[in-house]
Amino acid sequence: AYNPTDKLGLAGITAEVLRSGGSNSMSGDDLDELLESTGGSIETSVGNETTTIRINVLIENAEDALRIVRDLLNDPAYPQDKLDLALTQQRSAISRRNDDAGGIADREFQKILWGEDHPFAQQIEYDDLANITRDDLVQFHKSYFHPDECYIALWGDFSEADAKQMVRTVFGEWPKGNVQYPEIPSTPETMPSLNLAVKESVNQSNIRMGHRSITRNHPDYHALVVMNEILGGGLGSQLFNEVRSRQGLAYRVGSGLGAGYEKPQHFRVVCGTKSETTVQAIKACVEVVNKMATESVTDEELDRAKSGLLNSHVFNFANKGSIVNRQMTYVRHGYPVDWVQRFATEVQKVTKEDIQTAASNFLQPDNFAVMVVGKPDDFDEDLSTLGEVNVIDIS
């Protein structure tokens, strides 16, 4: 979200070269050799609003690993050769991004839902990469890599007191930076639209449809979680039973609620069908969603959905790492630390009436944004029978 508009990709490349380039006290290549010899790893990644550094080392190497990360954060090298390599890899990724029809559908649908200019949907181009210099990486680091909004999660064979002392010892002198974060636009309302990206080399259509969703602290969140499980949560769901099993229109079909922590995300229906049943599959999916919005679910559907959700819920506690990282996420976004424990209780409380009320207020199949990637010459009907078609140029 903090990329300059003429240097999209800067945040991701900064994170990559932070690790690959190492610090001025230990190069990235030397760091690779050290970690390989000790069986450890230090990895970086980026999300919409975060850069994450993951450390996995033997307990006796924990403090040394934290010192390495401290040096990366305080004295990064950002060597030109590692930047050049990262830019080359990113250019290669751009050159291949139209190879996969499903990837095209996801990418273009993201732009439709958020709007092309929203930072969560902007698309990196060759021109952006051509504008990125080493000085940009250094400046991005100076602007954002400070402890002001830094969260550290640790788990392993040590006491709480020892862990705290280790962090204080290693990071105690890391100065705050008075970071100024750009304002991120809110999630826009979804405008109904019918969109087509032509992919002549395929014999199947990738379909996406949906609209703006909710945040996880919305009063209807748990009712909608159960609703989505019934609607498109997998084998036995309404979409699976009707669109795939009964009508035989899809090799893949399902739905996702897409609830964000602070900003609404997007509810989506995903369908893959042969080219010759494209329009029929779209109509079938919309009909199932409309039924969910207007008719009550059965007792059997409710019980099966709750059982499925609660049975999978136990895997949230499968290892300490997932527990600690989840706690950190809740703290970052202002949620109570027992949020995940509340999930099972709230799901158990959901009634058929709760689902019907929530679904009727939430689902808007008549206002879906629809994205289709496929070969229109092979479609069962012209896509325009569903409405005005916006053809997206993906060249």
Side-chain angles (χ1 to χ4, degrees), residues 303-326:
D303 291 342
R304 186 172 60 244
K306 285 185 177 182
S307 295
L309 288 167
L310 296 176
N311 287 337
S312 62
H313 180 61
V314 300
F315 293 103
N316 286 315
F317 307 93
N319 63 76
K320 290 183 179 180
S322 63
I323 295 170
V324 174
N325 276 314
R326 189 168 52 245

mmCIF file of all heavy atoms in Angstrom, residues 303-326:
data_model
loop_
_atom_site.group_PDB
_atom_site.id
_atom_site.type_symbol
_atom_site.label_atom_id
_atom_site.label_comp_id
_atom_site.label_asym_id
_atom_site.label_seq_id
_atom_site.Cartn_x
_atom_site.Cartn_y
_atom_site.Cartn_z
ATOM 1 N N ASP A 303 -26.417 -28.285 10.702
ATOM 2 C CA ASP A 303 -25.615 -29.182 11.541
ATOM 3 C C ASP A 303 -24.318 -29.574 10.839
ATOM 4 O O ASP A 303 -23.252 -29.614 11.469
ATOM 5 C CB ASP A 303 -26.420 -30.431 11.891
ATOM 6 C CG ASP A 303 -27.582 -30.140 12.830
ATOM 7 O OD1 ASP A 303 -27.562 -29.069 13.467
ATOM 8 O OD2 ASP A 303 -28.511 -30.974 12.917
ATOM 9 N N ARG A 304 -24.404 -29.881 9.551
ATOM 10 C CA ARG A 304 -23.201 -30.282 8.814
ATOM 11 C C ARG A 304 -22.201 -29.137 8.733
ATOM 12 O O ARG A 304 -20.984 -29.345 8.881
ATOM 13 C CB ARG A 304 -23.579 -30.759 7.414
ATOM 14 C CG ARG A 304 -22.386 -31.322 6.631
ATOM 15 C CD ARG A 304 -22.797 -31.980 5.321
ATOM 16 N NE ARG A 304 -23.477 -31.042 4.436
ATOM 17 C CZ ARG A 304 -24.727 -31.171 4.057
ATOM 18 N NH1 ARG A 304 -25.466 -32.190 4.493
ATOM 19 N NH2 ARG A 304 -25.287 -30.290 3.241
ATOM 20 N N ALA A 305 -22.691 -27.921 8.496
ATOM 21 C CA ALA A 305 -21.792 -26.769 8.402
ATOM 22 C C ALA A 305 -21.104 -26.500 9.728
ATOM 23 O O ALA A 305 -19.893 -26.258 9.775
ATOM 24 C CB ALA A 305 -22.574 -25.538 7.953
ATOM 25 N N LYS A 306 -21.860 -26.536 10.809
ATOM 26 C CA LYS A 306 -21.260 -26.305 12.123
ATOM 27 C C LYS A 306 -20.222 -27.371 12.436
ATOM 28 O O LYS A 306 -19.121 -27.066 12.929
ATOM 29 C CB LYS A 306 -22.342 -26.297 13.204
ATOM 30 C CG LYS A 306 -23.193 -25.042 13.237
ATOM 31 C CD LYS A 306 -24.154 -25.086 14.409
ATOM 32 C CE LYS A 306 -24.985 -23.831 14.530
ATOM 33 N NZ LYS A 306 -25.889 -23.868 15.694
ATOM 34 N N SER A 307 -20.550 -28.615 12.158
ATOM 35 C CA SER A 307 -19.601 -29.705 12.431
ATOM 36 C C SER A 307 -18.324 -29.515 11.627
ATOM 37 O O SER A 307 -17.214 -29.680 12.151
ATOM 38 C CB SER A 307 -20.236 -31.058 12.097
ATOM 39 O OG SER A 307 -21.320 -31.331 12.944
ATOM 40 N N GLY A 308 -18.474 -29.162 10.349
ATOM 41 C CA GLY A 308 -17.298 -28.960 9.518
ATOM 42 C C GLY A 308 -16.430 -27.818 10.008
ATOM 43 O O GLY A 308 -15.200 -27.942 10.076
ATOM 44 N N LEU A 309 -17.055 -26.715 10.372
ATOM 45 C CA LEU A 309 -16.302 -25.558 10.851
ATOM 46 C C LEU A 309 -15.606 -25.851 12.173
ATOM 47 O O LEU A 309 -14.444 -25.498 12.370
ATOM 48 C CB LEU A 309 -17.233 -24.355 11.007
ATOM 49 C CG LEU A 309 -17.730 -23.713 9.716
ATOM 50 C CD1 LEU A 309 -18.864 -22.750 9.999
ATOM 51 C CD2 LEU A 309 -16.589 -22.990 9.000
ATOM 52 N N LEU A 310 -16.312 -26.514 13.082
ATOM 53 C CA LEU A 310 -15.735 -26.778 14.399
ATOM 54 C C LEU A 310 -14.664 -27.856 14.334
ATOM 55 O O LEU A 310 -13.670 -27.803 15.073
ATOM 56 C CB LEU A 310 -16.840 -27.175 15.380
ATOM 57 C CG LEU A 310 -17.867 -26.065 15.653
ATOM 58 C CD1 LEU A 310 -18.984 -26.582 16.552
ATOM 59 C CD2 LEU A 310 -17.198 -24.847 16.291
ATOM 60 N N ASN A 311 -14.841 -28.822 13.452
ATOM 61 C CA ASN A 311 -13.807 -29.851 13.304
ATOM 62 C C ASN A 311 -12.523 -29.276 12.720
ATOM 63 O O ASN A 311 -11.419 -29.668 13.122
ATOM 64 C CB ASN A 311 -14.316 -30.993 12.416
ATOM 65 C CG ASN A 311 -15.344 -31.863 13.112
ATOM 66 O OD1 ASN A 311 -15.391 -31.913 14.342
ATOM 67 N ND2 ASN A 311 -16.174 -32.550 12.345
ATOM 68 N N SER A 312 -12.659 -28.366 11.762
ATOM 69 C CA SER A 312 -11.462 -27.737 11.198
ATOM 70 C C SER A 312 -10.883 -26.685 12.134
ATOM 71 O O SER A 312 -9.687 -26.366 12.059
ATOM 72 C CB SER A 312 -11.794 -27.098 9.843
ATOM 73 O OG SER A 312 -12.768 -26.075 9.981
ATOM 74 N N HIS A 313 -11.727 -26.158 13.036
ATOM 75 C CA HIS A 313 -11.284 -25.121 13.969
ATOM 76 C C HIS A 313 -10.166 -25.612 14.877
ATOM 77 O O HIS A 313 -9.286 -24.831 15.265
ATOM 78 C CB HIS A 313 -12.475 -24.653 14.807
ATOM 79 C CG HIS A 313 -12.152 -23.586 15.809
ATOM 80 N ND1 HIS A 313 -11.656 -22.347 15.454
ATOM 81 C CD2 HIS A 313 -12.263 -23.563 17.167
ATOM 82 C CE1 HIS A 313 -11.462 -21.621 16.546
ATOM 83 N NE2 HIS A 313 -11.825 -22.337 17.582
ATOM 84 N N VAL A 314 -10.158 -26.901 15.187
ATOM 85 C CA VAL A 314 -9.134 -27.425 16.103
ATOM 86 C C VAL A 314 -7.736 -27.273 15.522
ATOM 87 O O VAL A 314 -6.753 -27.194 16.275
ATOM 88 C CB VAL A 314 -9.397 -28.901 16.461
ATOM 89 C CG1 VAL A 314 -10.744 -29.066 17.145
ATOM 90 C CG2 VAL A 314 -9.318 -29.789 15.223
ATOM 91 N N PHE A 315 -7.632 -27.203 14.193
ATOM 92 C CA PHE A 315 -6.308 -27.072 13.582
ATOM 93 C C PHE A 315 -5.720 -25.682 13.802
ATOM 94 O O PHE A 315 -4.538 -25.461 13.529
ATOM 95 C CB PHE A 315 -6.379 -27.407 12.094
ATOM 96 C CG PHE A 315 -6.693 -28.855 11.826
ATOM 97 C CD1 PHE A 315 -7.969 -29.247 11.433
ATOM 98 C CD2 PHE A 315 -5.723 -29.831 12.004
ATOM 99 C CE1 PHE A 315 -8.261 -30.586 11.200
ATOM 100 C CE2 PHE A 315 -6.011 -31.175 11.776
ATOM 101 C CZ PHE A 315 -7.278 -31.555 11.375
ATOM 102 N N ASN A 316 -6.544 -24.729 14.271
ATOM 103 C CA ASN A 316 -5.998 -23.428 14.660
ATOM 104 C C ASN A 316 -5.072 -23.534 15.860
ATOM 105 O O ASN A 316 -4.340 -22.601 16.174
ATOM 106 C CB ASN A 316 -7.137 -22.453 14.989
ATOM 107 C CG ASN A 316 -7.863 -21.960 13.756
ATOM 108 O OD1 ASN A 316 -7.231 -21.588 12.772
ATOM 109 N ND2 ASN A 316 -9.186 -21.956 13.791
ATOM 110 N N PHE A 317 -5.134 -24.673 16.542
ATOM 111 C CA PHE A 317 -4.323 -24.857 17.746
ATOM 112 C C PHE A 317 -3.309 -25.982 17.565
ATOM 113 O O PHE A 317 -2.815 -26.556 18.524
ATOM 114 C CB PHE A 317 -5.242 -25.174 18.936
ATOM 115 C CG PHE A 317 -6.346 -24.174 19.114
ATOM 116 C CD1 PHE A 317 -7.588 -24.376 18.538
ATOM 117 C CD2 PHE A 317 -6.129 -23.007 19.839
ATOM 118 C CE1 PHE A 317 -8.609 -23.450 18.691
ATOM 119 C CE2 PHE A 317 -7.143 -22.075 19.989
ATOM 120 C CZ PHE A 317 -8.387 -22.295 19.415
ATOM 121 N N ALA A 318 -2.998 -26.285 16.300
ATOM 122 C CA ALA A 318 -2.142 -27.441 16.014
ATOM 123 C C ALA A 318 -0.694 -27.207 16.408
ATOM 124 O O ALA A 318 0.013 -28.152 16.759
ATOM 125 C CB ALA A 318 -2.235 -27.803 14.528
ATOM 126 N N ASN A 319 -0.217 -25.975 16.346
ATOM 127 C CA ASN A 319 1.172 -25.713 16.735
ATOM 128 C C ASN A 319 1.292 -24.323 17.338
ATOM 129 O O ASN A 319 0.475 -23.440 17.072
ATOM 130 C CB ASN A 319 2.118 -25.876 15.542
ATOM 131 C CG ASN A 319 1.833 -24.892 14.426
ATOM 132 O OD1 ASN A 319 2.184 -23.718 14.528
ATOM 133 N ND2 ASN A 319 1.191 -25.366 13.362
ATOM 134 N N LYS A 320 2.315 -24.146 18.120
ATOM 135 C CA LYS A 320 2.484 -22.888 18.841
ATOM 136 C C LYS A 320 2.722 -21.707 17.903
ATOM 137 O O LYS A 320 2.284 -20.585 18.171
ATOM 138 C CB LYS A 320 3.643 -23.005 19.834
ATOM 139 C CG LYS A 320 3.341 -23.906 21.015
ATOM 140 C CD LYS A 320 4.500 -23.922 22.004
ATOM 141 C CE LYS A 320 4.183 -24.816 23.208
ATOM 142 N NZ LYS A 320 5.297 -24.850 24.179
ATOM 143 N N GLY A 321 3.411 -21.977 16.791
ATOM 144 C CA GLY A 321 3.694 -20.893 15.867
ATOM 145 C C GLY A 321 2.436 -20.249 15.332
ATOM 146 O O GLY A 321 2.312 -19.024 15.305
ATOM 147 N N SER A 322 1.470 -21.064 14.907
ATOM 148 C CA SER A 322 0.231 -20.500 14.366
ATOM 149 C C SER A 322 -0.541 -19.757 15.445
ATOM 150 O O SER A 322 -1.161 -18.726 15.174
ATOM 151 C CB SER A 322 -0.635 -21.615 13.760
ATOM 152 O OG SER A 322 -1.040 -22.544 14.749
ATOM 153 N N ILE A 323 -0.489 -20.265 16.678
ATOM 154 C CA ILE A 323 -1.190 -19.604 17.776
ATOM 155 C C ILE A 323 -0.584 -18.225 18.049
ATOM 156 O O ILE A 323 -1.293 -17.219 18.138
ATOM 157 C CB ILE A 323 -1.139 -20.466 19.050
ATOM 158 C CG1 ILE A 323 -1.920 -21.768 18.832
ATOM 159 C CG2 ILE A 323 -1.697 -19.709 20.251
ATOM 160 C CD1 ILE A 323 -1.735 -22.785 19.943
ATOM 161 N N VAL A 324 0.741 -18.167 18.160
ATOM 162 C CA VAL A 324 1.408 -16.914 18.498
ATOM 163 C C VAL A 324 1.259 -15.888 17.372
ATOM 164 O O VAL A 324 0.996 -14.710 17.612
ATOM 165 C CB VAL A 324 2.896 -17.167 18.819
ATOM 166 C CG1 VAL A 324 3.634 -15.854 19.017
ATOM 167 C CG2 VAL A 324 3.029 -18.038 20.052
ATOM 168 N N ASN A 325 1.398 -16.352 16.127
ATOM 169 C CA ASN A 325 1.240 -15.419 15.007
ATOM 170 C C ASN A 325 -0.177 -14.872 14.935
ATOM 171 O O ASN A 325 -0.390 -13.701 14.613
ATOM 172 C CB ASN A 325 1.598 -16.128 13.691
ATOM 173 C CG ASN A 325 3.094 -16.111 13.431
ATOM 174 O OD1 ASN A 325 3.739 -15.092 13.567
ATOM 175 N ND2 ASN A 325 3.637 -17.252 13.071
ATOM 176 N N ARG A 326 -1.151 -15.720 15.237
ATOM 177 C CA ARG A 326 -2.543 -15.268 15.218
ATOM 178 C C ARG A 326 -2.773 -14.238 16.326
ATOM 179 O O ARG A 326 -3.443 -13.218 16.108
ATOM 180 C CB ARG A 326 -3.468 -16.472 15.401
ATOM 181 C CG ARG A 326 -4.931 -16.155 15.171
ATOM 182 C CD ARG A 326 -5.748 -17.427 15.067
ATOM 183 N NE ARG A 326 -5.519 -18.328 16.172
ATOM 184 C CZ ARG A 326 -4.953 -19.531 16.060
ATOM 185 N NH1 ARG A 326 -4.553 -19.968 14.887
ATOM 186 N NH2 ARG A 326 -4.771 -20.305 17.122
#
